[in-house]
Amino acid sequence: MATAIEAITTLLTLCGLAYLLLALWSARDFGRHWRRRDAVPYTPDVSILKPVKGVDPRMYAGFVSHCQQQYAGAFEIVFGVSSIADPAAAEIERLREEFPECPIRLVECSEHLGTSGKVSNLVQMLREARYAHIVINDSDICVSPHYLTHVIAPFADARVGMVTAPYLGRAVPGPNGITGWSKLESLGISTDFMPGVLTARKLEGGLRFGLGSTLAMDRTALSKAGGLEPLVEFLADDYELGKRIAAAGYRVELCAEVVETTVPAYDLRGYWDHQLRWSRSTRDSRKLGYVGLGITYALPWAMMTCIASGFELWSFTLLSIVLLARVSVALTVGVGILRDEQVLRDLWLLPIRDLWGLVFWIWSFAGDTVLWRGERFRLQDGRIARVQSA
């Protein structure tokens, strides 16, 4: 039995090492793609749609960053709330006063079109948008002044139907400072999630999904993909929308513009709920690919190989090689591509983050419920239904 366990963990470690090398190759390919790409001036008018609910950390700073765009075309920002009594409405009014020259509108989305309040609001906001090019992103996203310029430029190629953007998670302090749990999530985004996105892009010859950090598209591609209405029951609406636009014959482009999302000061419960929702959402969206995700946790498998082998010298050699490859991926993607300085600060947490990642991957198969904005939902084939309280 001990020999069998040792053989299994060694095989999984070697598979994980192969994945890490593939992730490095994929990151290099992404960097080379954008270095050799000629910038084509293309600045059509754009409507930015931002559904909001409540007030999140750094949300207002994200709003301000959108108002400060250095973009040659015209743009507007359309905010959507389910009720005008939402606390976010006051923040949007404050934004209007600070940036009177920026076209800002607030839409009250009173219709309830499906389980996903976010997508329900987006459907109603889209009706109010003036322009043919649409950019959707989450309420807490912070962007650079050149965000629109870089995100919209790929649409100069008529084959591009969607542009999405890589992102990093900015851990923000709570009453007791930045928590270890928020550091683990931020580290996971830059060194685990984004390398996975780049690897999927390489293996599949391009993306077949979108990232909620940025969903840019024109109305023609959106219409051919079926619009937003069919997504009102989906949890991973960003993934599903990109998938449908790709299925309609368009390219989904991952641009080089990196944006920031906010990672709150999680406690253990908050970290667990968010990571489990993320894991189960991915499991439901990419069923076959998600099954194989377990082998990507090379570092935990290498540690288990050391234990299973009785701490033989060769197992420590294998662990050292895996650790070198894992750190290389973290630095290449997290620092080299995303420019996330938090990675250097928290690099020592990589083994802990990967152990947690493996735990969430295993536990994601143990159920189909997720917690989202304080409500519990049952997840099936990407669709969500509220779980009734007993």
Side-chain angles (χ1 to χ4, degrees):
M1 178 65 72
T3 302
I5 293 174
E6 179 185 334
I8 291 170
T9 58
T10 302
L11 178 60
L12 289 170
T13 302
L14 292 173
C15 289
L17 179 59
Y19 165 77
L20 292 173
L21 295 176
L22 178 59
L24 282 171
W25 181 36
S26 302
R28 180 173 178 270
D29 178 75
F30 177 73
R32 290 178 64 185
H33 170 75
W34 283 104
R35 278 196 298 270
R36 65 174 178 260
R37 187 185 180 99
D38 293 329
V40 178
Y42 187 66
T43 55
D45 298 341
V46 180
S47 293
I48 303 173
L49 308 186
K50 292 187 75 70
V52 294
K53 182 180 180 180
V55 179
D56 299 322
R58 295 183 77 230
M59 185 180 78
Y60 190 76
F63 291 174
V64 168
S65 70
H66 286 73
C67 293
Q68 294 174 331
Q69 290 302 295
Q70 298 175 14
Y71 184 64
F75 71 93
E76 64 171 355
I77 307 176
V78 181
F79 293 95
V81 291
S82 297
S83 167
I84 206 68
D86 192 295
E91 295 295 281
I92 295 163
E93 187 57 39
R94 172 186 164 198
L95 191 72
R96 279 176 171 158
E97 294 176 1
E98 186 174 351
F99 297 94
E101 74 287 353
C102 185
I104 298 170
R105 286 186 289 147
L106 176 62
V107 177
E108 184 177 19
C109 308
S110 55
E111 297 178 63
H112 182 72
L113 304 178
T115 310
S116 173
K118 170 189 169 184
V119 181
S120 177
N121 287 1
L122 281 170
V123 171
Q124 296 167 72
M125 294 160 66
L126 185 61
R127 299 170 188 163
E128 304 295 325
R130 294 190 179 106
Y131 302 128
H133 283 78
I134 306 295
V135 173
I136 299 171
N137 61 29
D138 293 335
S139 60
D140 63 345
I141 293 294
C142 287
V143 301
S144 79
H146 304 290
Y147 169 71
L148 280 182
T149 301
H150 295 154
V151 166
I152 298 300
F155 288 107
D157 184 342
R159 295 171 297 175
V160 174
M162 173 180 279
V163 177
T164 193
Y167 65 97
L168 60 90
R170 179 66 60 192
V172 297
N176 299 314
I178 298 175
T179 67
W181 306 110
S182 62
K183 288 181 180 180
L184 287 176
E185 177 153 316
S186 299
L187 187 66
I189 292 171
S190 292
T191 67
D192 184 15
F193 176 73
M194 285 312 304
V197 169
L198 296 179
T199 302
R201 173 185 173 275
K202 181 64 178 176
L203 290 178
E204 298 174 10
L207 284 190
R208 300 289 184 272
F209 54 88
L211 304 176
S213 56
T214 293
L215 299 170
M217 68 212 88
D218 65 35
R219 289 181 185 263
T220 301
L222 179 58
S223 177
K224 289 185 178 180
L228 295 174
E229 289 83 353
L231 305 180
V232 293
E233 306 294 341
F234 280 84
L235 176 61
D237 53 273
D238 49 357
Y239 175 91
E240 190 67 23
L241 184 56
K243 175 183 172 183
R244 294 181 181 215
I245 286 179
Y250 290 94
R251 274 179 22 211
V252 177
E253 190 80 60
L254 182 66
C255 72
E257 179 72 8
V258 179
V259 304
E260 289 186 8
T261 189
T262 299
V263 177
Y266 287 123
D267 57 12
L268 174 58
R269 181 78 258 179
Y271 177 68
W272 178 272
D273 288 338
H274 191 254
Q275 287 292 308
L276 193 59
R277 172 168 65 83
W278 204 346
S279 298
R280 287 182 174 165
S281 173
T282 306
R283 180 203 70 189
D284 243 38
S285 299
R286 293 175 64 86
K287 291 181 172 62
L288 291 178
Y290 188 77
V291 171
L293 184 65
I295 68 168
T296 68
Y297 297 106
L299 208 46
W301 292 126
M303 293 185 212
M304 287 184 237
T305 299
C306 286
I307 297 170
S309 71
F311 302 100
E312 292 282 349
L313 180 59
W314 67 265
S315 67
F316 280 102
T317 302
L318 182 59
L319 175 61
S320 300
I321 295 170
V322 167
L323 182 59
L324 176 61
R326 183 67 181 97
V327 170
S328 296
V329 170
L331 295 178
T332 299
V333 178
V335 179
I337 292 177
L338 301 179
R339 308 294 182 193
D340 184 1
E341 73 283 357
Q342 300 170 120
V343 172
L344 293 174
R345 180 195 68 192
D346 300 328
L347 196 62
W348 66 277
L349 291 170
L350 265 183
I352 300 172
R353 166 63 189 87
D354 286 359
L355 282 168
W356 273 107
L358 184 58
V359 168
F360 286 120
W361 177 77
I362 294 170
W363 195 250
S364 68
F365 294 102
D368 59 0
T369 60
V370 296
L371 193 68
W372 188 26
R373 285 192 175 270
E375 293 187 81
R376 192 164 295 279
F377 296 89
R378 190 171 304 281
L379 186 62
Q380 185 174 13
D381 294 329
R383 292 176 170 81
I384 50 174
R386 284 185 177 85
V387 176
Q388 299 297 324
S389 301

